[in-house]
Amino acid sequence: MVNVILGALLPVIVTLALGMLAGWRRDEDTKAAEALNRMVLVYALPLALFAFTITVSRQELVSQWPLLLALLAGTVLPFLLAFLVDRYLVGRTMQAAALQAMAFGFPAIAFTGIPILTPLIGDKATLVVDVAGLTGNIVILPVTLVLLSYAEEKERSGSAKPCGSGQQQASVAALATMSLRHAFTQPVVLAPLFAIAFVFTNIHLPSVVTGSFKLLGSTVGGISLFASGIILQSQSLRFSFSASISTLARLLVIPVLAYLALTAIGQSGDLRKMTVLALGLAAAPMQVILSTRYGCDKEENASVLLYSNVLSIPSLAFLIWLTQ
């Protein structure tokens, strides 16, 4: 089983390492990484999300509502709790808190879900990835973008300080309107929303059309990980307490709590196994893409990506044992 996990995660680690090597050799720099991440965010990822989401049938969504609720609770609740604690108890900025909350609520199911989960739960792995993709792409990602956009608009208005300091006063209604408009006009948010609308209205696109989106869409994982490696190399690598907390929560705390909650309500079969293993995957490259886009805590978020992918090998082995 360790070979299965290693086989799925080794390409992630190697791609990160190659990005770090390119940065060390000065073949690429952080400006190149930012350009790559912008391409992923504006073009490749929206195409991938649309092509991925539109394959989910309306019948699947209706029949798998218990799994949808379990994954929704296992991502949204940690996201909200982490954001509130980070923002109002720790006192970090809205952007920093939103990005750390994303580490809690946005596992890399779309990147490593299929290769890791298929040997463990068979064909149901595709269903888990489909359903989990909805919770992340329709809920967590838009909410994160709204929070990041709100903070950015506040800074532009002159009523806020940049990432890393300060608390502010501004016209909440005006800033909220601008941030919502900004977030919900982003291709990365519109693409899955349009796909969901197509699914529920039973509109089917020809396979040749959806297939044409996959050429660029399939580059999301490799390019975002390579760019994250460049960013990692450009930073002074040192221990990060915040990144360690995010990694521990992502790999162990959240999936174990999900296991206990589902066991407490009498769920001990496939639902519990699928939910726990999906929630135990490493952090996604998305938070590094967004931290680069909004210029906030790039080093910390790249560290979370590195820590969680390396340490997910023993943590997933433990979760597999736990759910047997």
Side-chain angles (χ1 to χ4, degrees):
M1 200 55 64
V2 173
N3 288 336
V4 172
I5 301 170
L6 188 61
L9 292 178
L10 188 59
V12 174
I13 297 170
V14 168
T15 306
L16 276 171
L18 288 173
M20 295 178 72
L21 177 64
W24 178 72
R25 286 171 49 86
R26 301 187 185 280
D27 294 330
E28 306 289 350
D29 57 14
T30 54
K31 289 185 177 180
E34 291 173 4
L36 289 172
N37 278 335
R38 177 168 176 77
M39 187 278 288
V40 169
L41 189 63
V42 177
Y43 297 101
L45 185 57
L47 289 175
L49 292 177
F50 185 87
F52 171 80
T53 306
I54 204 169
T55 61
V56 183
S57 69
R58 186 169 55 184
Q59 290 74 22
E60 281 182 328
L61 292 180
V62 173
S63 63
Q64 294 299 323
W65 66 266
L67 178 61
L68 180 61
L69 288 179
L71 290 174
L72 194 63
T75 53
V76 173
L77 292 179
F79 177 90
L80 290 175
L81 182 61
F83 176 77
L84 293 174
V85 169
D86 224 24
R87 176 67 173 141
Y88 297 106
L89 292 184
V90 179
R92 301 184 76 186
T93 62
M94 184 175 291
Q95 287 184 325
L99 289 168
Q100 184 164 22
M102 196 175 198
F104 281 62
F106 201 86
I109 298 174
F111 295 92
T112 56
I114 293 293
I116 291 179
L117 297 179
T118 298
L120 304 176
I121 58 178
D123 293 338
K124 293 180 181 178
T126 302
L127 182 61
V128 173
V129 172
D130 287 344
V131 174
L134 297 180
T135 65
N137 300 328
I138 305 299
V139 181
I140 302 295
L141 182 56
V143 170
T144 304
L145 281 171
V146 168
L147 293 171
L148 293 172
S149 300
Y150 181 87
E152 186 177 60
E153 293 293 343
K154 211 168 188 179
E155 182 181 342
R156 286 175 180 171
S157 71
S159 59
K161 299 178 182 179
C163 176
S165 61
Q167 296 195 358
Q168 319 88 11
Q169 297 292 328
S171 171
V172 175
L175 291 174
T177 301
M178 286 187 289
S179 59
L180 284 169
R181 184 173 62 247
H182 173 78
F184 283 92
T185 54
Q186 297 300 304
V188 74
V189 174
L190 289 175
L193 290 178
F194 277 124
I196 285 292
F198 280 25
V199 168
F200 276 101
T201 55
N202 209 27
I203 297 175
H204 302 284
L205 294 180
S207 59
V208 67
V209 175
T210 56
S212 66
F213 299 155
K214 295 179 181 179
L215 181 61
L216 184 58
S218 63
T219 65
V220 170
I223 291 179
S224 58
L225 287 167
F226 186 82
S228 297
I230 298 171
I231 294 170
L232 267 172
Q233 194 280 329
S234 69
Q235 311 293 331
S236 54
L237 290 179
R238 59 179 183 271
F239 175 78
S240 169
F241 180 74
S242 296
S244 301
I245 293 295
S246 298
T247 301
L248 180 63
R250 171 74 274 126
L251 298 181
L252 286 176
V253 176
I254 294 170
V256 169
L257 288 177
Y259 174 87
L260 295 175
L262 289 170
T263 302
I265 62 174
Q267 297 292 337
S268 59
D270 287 344
L271 175 63
R272 184 178 69 179
K273 186 174 185 177
M274 291 187 292
T275 302
V276 170
L277 293 180
L279 293 176
L281 296 179
M286 176 54 65
Q287 67 189 82
V288 181
I289 295 174
L290 293 180
S291 68
T292 303
R293 160 64 181 83
Y294 289 93
C296 183
D297 287 345
K298 290 185 286 187
E299 179 180 353
E300 177 184 321
N301 287 284
S303 296
V304 172
L305 186 66
L306 178 65
Y307 294 174
S308 62
N309 276 287
V310 173
L311 296 176
S312 62
I313 297 173
S315 68
L316 276 173
F318 167 72
L319 293 176
I320 290 168
W321 169 82
L322 183 66
T323 55
Q324 293 300 321

